[in-house]
Amino acid sequence: MNTSRRARTARLNLIQNSQDAALIAIGVLLAAIGLKAFLLPNGFLDGGVTGISLLVNRLSGWSISVLLILINAPFILLAYKQLSKTFTLKTVAAIVGLAICLALFRMPTLTHDKLLIAIFGGFFLGAGIGMSIRGGAVLDGTEVLALYINRKTVLSVGEVIMYFNVLIFGVAAVLINVETALYAMLTYLSASKTVDFVISGFEEYIALTVISDRSELIRKTLTLKLKKGVTVFKGKSGYGKRGEVNNDIEIVYTVVTRLEVHKIIDEIEKIDEKAFIVQTNINDTRGGMIKRRATHH
């Protein structure tokens, strides 16, 4: 039995590691497209460590591949000390892979339109970073620094990244020009929104709280027909259309992905079109019947 369990665990780990490697490889390729086909040939900047590398490359002409590795090195060391060894190894592989792609691959410059460069350069770069994060690595050490500072101070991860990038854009405005800094901000916004969407867009979690006189039938529909996990709370009515009431009620609570919400609400309204339904966005879940998103933390 123990041998069978170990074999199953090893097989699952192999599958997970293969999926992670594929996601990181796709992420590296997408980021390389964003840099080689949009940002680099047009002298555009971005935020984070990538933005610093692009800025130094533009000012000095040094190889972007070398700069990505050198500037990310302190953050990789910080990740090794503060996070996991596995995450650090994956991150090293991702950053070195991106550096190799930038050094060896030739890609055509797809556009010289500044607005398209900022939007689509940021989109491809952000998609690459997002896919890498889903594979358990990062292509930019800024997030590692943000996590470290967040643990030591009252600043949130988002605030640290924002202040870090404001500094980069300010330096770009002084050393190059304001227009370049403004386009860098637009590129960063495009990239960051894409990262958010790749990581959680399709799997954003929604909590549904359902109050209905037909709660038992709703519970059975959710569990037996739709195969969703639910929790039933015991409660009391407080105030309604008929004034103050004090009836015992059952409150059905379930968590689903954003793409499932409309289907589930339709099923609930078929049972009770007057059901009171509250939707709440939630960042993440742990355990239960919800498949947890891949993350490197």
Side-chain angles (χ1 to χ4, degrees):
M1 181 65 71
N2 289 336
T3 302
S4 176
R5 186 180 294 115
R6 284 197 296 270
R8 183 173 180 273
T9 301
R11 185 168 63 253
L12 291 175
N13 287 337
L14 178 61
I15 293 172
Q16 183 63 55
N17 289 334
S18 298
Q19 291 175 344
D20 289 347
L23 288 170
I24 292 171
I26 293 171
V28 167
L29 180 60
L30 290 172
I33 292 173
L35 290 168
K36 291 282 284 187
F38 292 95
L39 303 182
L40 276 170
N42 293 290
F44 266 54
L45 306 180
D46 184 33
V49 173
T50 305
I52 296 175
S53 302
L54 289 168
L55 178 60
V56 176
N57 169 263
R58 177 164 176 176
L59 294 174
S60 67
W62 293 357
S63 167
I64 186 68
S65 298
V66 174
L67 289 170
L68 281 173
I69 294 175
L70 289 179
I71 299 176
N72 271 299
F75 301 101
I76 293 172
L77 181 61
L78 184 63
Y80 181 77
K81 292 182 177 180
Q82 297 294 322
L83 302 173
S84 69
K85 182 179 179 180
T86 300
F87 166 68
T88 304
L89 291 175
K90 288 181 178 180
T91 296
V92 170
I95 293 172
V96 171
L98 178 58
I100 292 173
C101 285
L102 295 177
L104 300 181
F105 291 178
R106 293 187 177 274
M107 297 181 190
T109 302
L110 297 182
T111 181
H112 293 289
D113 183 283
K114 292 183 176 181
L115 186 59
L116 292 179
I117 294 165
I119 293 175
F120 285 98
F123 168 79
F124 279 103
L125 186 58
I129 293 172
M131 293 296 283
S132 297
I133 290 175
R134 296 201 65 157
V138 292
L139 288 173
D140 192 298
T142 311
E143 188 180 21
V144 176
L145 176 66
L147 285 169
Y148 175 75
I149 294 177
N150 169 251
R151 293 175 179 179
K152 301 294 184 180
T153 69
V154 297
L155 296 176
S156 69
V157 171
E159 288 173 337
V160 175
I161 293 175
M162 180 185 69
Y163 295 145
F164 189 84
N165 287 320
V166 166
L167 179 62
I168 295 172
F169 299 145
V171 172
V174 172
L175 297 182
I176 304 177
N177 55 58
V178 174
E179 183 184 55
T180 297
L182 292 175
Y183 275 115
M185 292 180 191
L186 183 59
T187 303
Y188 167 71
L189 288 174
S190 175
S192 63
K193 291 299 181 183
T194 305
V195 170
D196 291 341
F197 186 77
V198 169
I199 294 175
S200 62
F202 286 113
E203 293 183 355
E204 180 183 3
Y205 295 127
I206 305 292
L208 295 179
T209 303
V210 185
I211 300 174
S212 168
D213 293 333
R214 309 190 68 186
S215 58
E216 178 60 18
L217 183 55
I218 291 173
R219 181 191 68 79
K220 289 182 177 179
T221 300
L222 290 175
T223 55
L224 300 178
K225 181 180 179 180
L226 301 177
K227 308 299 182 185
K228 297 299 174 186
V230 305
T231 298
V232 178
F233 298 107
K234 300 291 184 180
K236 284 184 177 291
S237 299
Y239 193 90
K241 291 182 179 180
R242 295 185 296 273
E244 186 175 352
V245 292
N246 190 27
N247 298 329
D248 291 336
I249 58 172
E250 290 186 338
I251 303 166
V252 179
Y253 180 87
T254 187
V255 177
V256 299
T257 62
R258 181 169 59 88
L259 296 182
E260 298 173 311
V261 168
H262 293 298
K263 176 183 177 181
I264 290 174
I265 289 178
D266 286 343
E267 292 290 336
I268 293 172
E269 290 181 340
K270 287 177 185 177
I271 299 170
D272 182 4
E273 62 181 15
K274 295 182 179 180
F276 182 59
I277 305 172
V278 179
Q279 298 184 44
T280 308
N281 293 324
I282 55 180
N283 292 328
D284 202 359
T285 63
R286 189 185 299 268
M289 295 176 65
I290 296 290
K291 181 181 179 182
R292 195 171 181 224
R293 287 193 290 261
T295 178
H296 59 271
H297 302 320

